[in-house]
Amino acid sequence: MIGNLFGFLSNDIGIDLGTANTLVFVRDRGIVLREPSVVARYKTSKKVCAVGADAKRMLGRTPGTIEALRPMKDGVIADFEISEAMLRYFIEKVDKRKLVPPRVVIAVPSGITAVEKRAVKDSAIRAGAREVLLLGEPMAASIGAGLPIEKEEANMIVDIGGGTTEVAIISISGVSYQRSIRVGGDELDEAIIAYMKRAYGLLIGERTSEEIKFKIGSAAPFGELSMDVRGRDATAGLPKTIHITSQEIREEALKEVVSQIVELVKNALDRCQPEHSADLIDRGIVLAGGGALIRGLDQVISDATGLPVIQADDPLCCVANGTGKFLNLLGTLSREQVDRLVTQ
């Protein structure tokens, strides 16, 4: 009876702790928060003054007394103190009852080290969680995308986040192959920034780069688009406006990063078991994460592998939804089944 009451009083929470954005899933309520993984603080006192969307608006525009920081890098904690403050803010924002500390499931990159796992757990505990379970992002994305991971037939997921791209082949609720590279949406943004400086001598910030990526960026020809970009002339130091096309962004800025993602997928196929290869001919590859929204990426991967490539429904929320579905399964799974799904 006490155990049932304990579970009733607390809000179990699933967190997609991403490099670019953090999504929070609350049991029986769904995704209730989606905010940038950004924290603003005063430089002198180190006191936090804004978190999430409010802090992101300060990126590149803060006065000398305030700094806007991204505490996550390549999908893992880069700044322990700031990450803890961000987690505490998000947990308190969604768990207003505060009767019992919540149990928290956090999705993490499959390639993180034991030290990085401990940092994530410690940050969440200090931020107010009573128990923390870590779920690999490929597994979370597969669950969130509705793939039949419990079946013997193989499923292949490619999760392209802000700081990492992960590929995994999953069957019988286990991972038979997975690999992660620290390349994702942030590298696409940085590639655009570097190209604008190299080609036009124009200095732009990450907000402008992200806008270019979403408005005209693509991995394959997809109806040519163009836009005006404003920034600062690297030589004269004055404001400057130039006109760019989607073709040049695709071929000159994004091509190399896209090629790394394609190569990761091809390597996974080269190393998977023969029976799994046969399964994937029919089942294909599923794309999740924000990077799945890049125009034409599914076509490029399909052309390179000869397999059908499908974009998951709501790819941005796949990992967060996966943590939520996992929370709902916890009461029905044995300890052995939980151990197979979580990352130790």
Side-chain angles (χ1 to χ4, degrees):
M1 178 68 180
I2 293 177
N4 290 337
L5 179 63
F6 191 75
F8 175 76
L9 292 176
S10 66
N11 276 333
D12 288 341
I13 295 173
I15 300 178
D16 174 9
L17 189 61
T19 303
N21 297 286
T22 294
L23 285 74
V24 180
F25 185 108
V26 176
R27 191 172 184 175
D28 299 325
R29 291 168 59 194
I31 294 175
V32 298
L33 182 146
R34 183 189 307 179
E35 294 203 32
S37 302
V38 183
V39 176
R41 68 179 181 184
Y42 296 104
K43 289 183 178 180
T44 303
S45 66
K46 305 300 181 185
K47 182 179 179 181
V48 172
C49 59
V51 178
D54 291 338
K56 185 174 182 179
R57 283 192 286 269
M58 298 182 182
L59 280 174
R61 295 180 174 176
T62 57
T65 56
I66 297 175
E67 55 185 354
L69 307 168
R70 292 185 179 274
M72 307 296 296
K73 181 175 175 58
D74 300 330
V76 296
I77 290 177
D79 188 310
F80 188 92
E81 184 179 345
I82 293 299
S83 296
E84 182 183 321
M86 183 177 74
L87 275 171
R88 179 179 293 108
Y89 172 83
F90 289 147
I91 290 174
E92 290 179 351
K93 190 170 183 179
V94 303
D95 187 34
K96 299 184 183 298
R97 293 184 297 176
K98 300 179 184 176
L99 298 174
V100 175
R103 173 171 51 184
V104 177
V105 173
I106 301 178
V108 295
S110 57
I112 71 170
T113 66
V115 172
E116 290 167 337
K117 290 176 186 177
R118 174 51 55 191
V120 174
K121 284 189 172 184
D122 287 349
S123 289
I125 292 293
R126 290 174 182 269
R130 78 171 190 270
E131 179 187 3
V132 181
L133 296 174
L134 303 183
L135 188 63
E137 286 181 0
M139 182 63 77
S142 297
I143 296 171
L147 298 182
I149 62 170
E150 73 284 354
K151 303 290 186 182
E152 293 182 5
E153 292 81 12
N155 299 278
M156 186 170 183
I157 189 88
V158 180
D159 178 33
I160 309 165
T164 59
T165 295
E166 307 201 55
V167 60
I169 299 172
I170 298 171
S171 66
I172 322 178
S173 299
V175 177
S176 65
Y177 175 90
Q178 66 182 11
R179 191 178 169 217
S180 170
I181 58 172
R182 299 198 169 185
V183 170
D186 287 351
E187 279 66 28
L188 292 170
D189 294 340
E190 290 169 8
I192 292 173
I193 291 172
Y195 171 71
M196 298 302 290
K197 181 178 180 181
R198 181 176 70 249
Y200 296 102
L202 186 74
L203 303 179
I204 61 171
E206 50 186 280
R207 290 180 61 185
T208 300
S209 175
E210 192 174 44
E211 181 183 6
I212 294 170
K213 179 178 68 178
F214 285 123
K215 282 190 174 180
I216 67 172
S218 68
F222 200 86
E224 296 306 320
L225 305 169
S226 63
M227 65 180 289
D228 290 330
V229 179
R230 298 175 181 176
R232 178 163 61 88
D233 188 293
T235 304
L238 300 173
K240 180 181 178 181
T241 302
I242 57 105
H243 191 76
I244 58 172
T245 66
S246 56
Q247 179 181 0
E248 62 181 303
I249 294 300
R250 178 177 65 253
E251 296 180 357
E252 303 295 334
L254 304 182
K255 188 174 182 179
E256 183 177 345
V257 179
V258 169
S259 295
Q260 293 181 59
I261 295 172
V262 172
E263 195 62 28
L264 176 69
V265 176
K266 290 171 66 178
N267 287 339
L269 292 170
D270 186 49
R271 288 166 172 76
C272 76
Q273 300 174 27
E275 293 298 332
H276 287 168
S277 294
D279 295 337
L280 295 175
I281 291 174
D282 296 323
R283 306 180 77 87
I285 301 169
V286 176
L287 300 184
L293 298 173
I294 296 294
R295 296 179 185 90
L297 182 59
D298 53 350
Q299 176 189 330
V300 170
I301 295 176
S302 182
D303 290 345
T305 62
L307 297 176
V309 178
I310 306 152
Q311 186 185 102
D313 293 335
D314 199 1
L316 279 169
C317 296
C318 271
V319 172
N321 282 328
T323 63
K325 290 181 180 180
F326 177 73
L327 280 170
N328 291 330
L329 288 171
L330 277 178
T332 65
L333 297 176
S334 66
R335 183 72 254 177
E336 291 76 16
Q337 289 173 312
V338 171
D339 288 343
R340 289 184 65 188
L341 290 169
V342 300
T343 178
Q344 302 298 325

